């Protein structure tokens, strides 16, 4: 694990924690974007941004079957360059110190990024999408239809209270 | 890890994978909901649903500082009862077989749930929220402001294309 930056800013606090070990992840593929350095990443992906490629491991391709029915997909990925011990942070943009959980900074105890992207097309075990802001080579963790698209398809179950 | 259900349905496929080990998670707390069994969980949380409690580890409380500024928070949690080897699935609701990544089923290679919840109030190292649908006792992974609320606050950086 390479730290994104090693120095803390004034007012930032870190936490000494034992090694992470409560649950384990298995990378399901790799994200290909045009962004080779952190400074090149937009702060937020845009649906008119460049096409990016979600490359699943070939043996997982069948897991995509049916995804073409959705316009938008939620993507979860592992922010592999992020340090994990910052409890409070001072974003460069404003210098105010806030808690890590009040920020969307990649630096967090479990550095999982989430984005909702526009699905352009499927290409075998890969999806072409727009709207990502992460580094090229970011490990992929999960893909799922966005909830609003999903809820249209699902019939109610008894535990769904209908208002 | 207890499987939510051990039997597969017609047409479902599983994958034999080595143990997960690409990255490790550290649980940051526990989610308290009124839902004690999977059948009691609504399919989707509602903002007029019951109050739930996100209990952070006390040593992480400072990580919440500033979160009161947001109405809505994205919650990531570990679906600890879910099997991880289903590549295609047949939801009980419609019996059609689809790829795991075309479903929001809890059964997935990396069983991470995401929800956007309404923040009711902070109570020390805990947040009271509405809109969850997960089991009581679910391990908490991460909290962050929802992206739309965040983007209002952040000034543009050079790599943000402005349309």
């Amino acid at each position: 694990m390479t730290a994104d930056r090693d120095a803390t800013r004034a007012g930032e606090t870190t936490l000494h924690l034992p090694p992470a070990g409560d649950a384990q992840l298995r990378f399901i593929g790799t994200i290909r974007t045009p962004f080779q350095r952190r400074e090149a990443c937009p702060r937020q992906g845009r649906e008119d941004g460049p096409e990016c490629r979600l490359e699943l491991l070939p043996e997982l391709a069948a897991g995509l079957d049916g995804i073409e029915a959705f316009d938008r997909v939620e993507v979860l990925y592992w922010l592999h360059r992020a340090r994990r011990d910052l409890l409070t942070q001072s974003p460069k943009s404003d210098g105010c110190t806030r808690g890590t959980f009040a920020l969307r900074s990649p630096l967090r105890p479990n550095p999982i990024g989430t984005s909702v992207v526009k699905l352009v097309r499927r290409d075998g075990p890969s999806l072409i999408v727009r709207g990502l802001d992460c580094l090229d080579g970011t490990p992929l963790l999960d893909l799922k239809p966005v909830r609003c698209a999903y809820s249209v398809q699902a019939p109610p179950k008894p535990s769904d209270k209908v208002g």
Side-chain angles (χ1 to χ4, degrees), chain A:
Chain A
M1 177 116 12
T2 309
D4 247 345
R5 54 184 173 89
D6 285 324
T8 53
R9 299 197 178 96
E12 291 186 333
T13 49
T14 62
L15 189 69
H16 295 281
L17 284 174
D22 288 321
Q24 292 192 305
L25 297 172
R26 174 188 299 133
F27 297 157
I28 63 167
T30 305
I31 303 182
R32 295 293 168 199
T33 74
F35 314 122
Q36 302 296 328
R37 294 166 304 106
R38 186 163 175 212
E39 305 72 44
C41 296
R43 191 193 306 275
Q44 185 171 329
R46 295 165 55 99
E47 293 200 349
D48 59 356
E51 288 191 355
C52 301
R53 193 175 182 92
L54 308 175
E55 295 182 347
L56 260 73
L57 300 174
E59 63 267 35
L60 297 178
L64 293 175
D65 291 349
I67 204 159
E68 301 90 339
F70 298 94
D71 281 339
R72 288 183 172 70
V73 175
E74 187 175 358
V75 185
L76 277 66
Y77 41 95
W78 187 247
L79 298 158
H80 58 304
R81 304 258 309 268
R83 62 186 287 177
R84 302 177 64 170
D85 63 338
L86 276 187
L87 189 58
T88 64
Q89 302 180 41
S90 301
K92 227 185 317 192
S93 56
D94 65 8
C96 295
T97 302
R98 269 163 292 172
T100 289
F101 303 119
L103 293 164
R104 288 190 70 95
S105 159
L107 317 177
R108 42 208 319 118
N110 293 305
I112 299 170
T114 66
S115 285
V116 171
V117 299
K118 185 164 173 51
L119 178 56
V120 177
R121 67 179 183 280
R122 177 175 173 182
D123 179 17
S126 295
L127 296 183
I128 314 301
V129 303
R130 293 182 190 269
L132 284 171
D133 55 15
C134 62
L135 280 171
D136 186 48
T138 296
L140 187 60
L141 294 178
D142 200 9
L143 299 175
K144 37 193 155 197
V146 296
R147 197 178 276 276
C148 54
Y150 170 77
S151 60
V152 173
Q153 301 214 332
K157 56 183 250 194
S159 51
D160 293 322
K161 267 196 259 172
V162 179

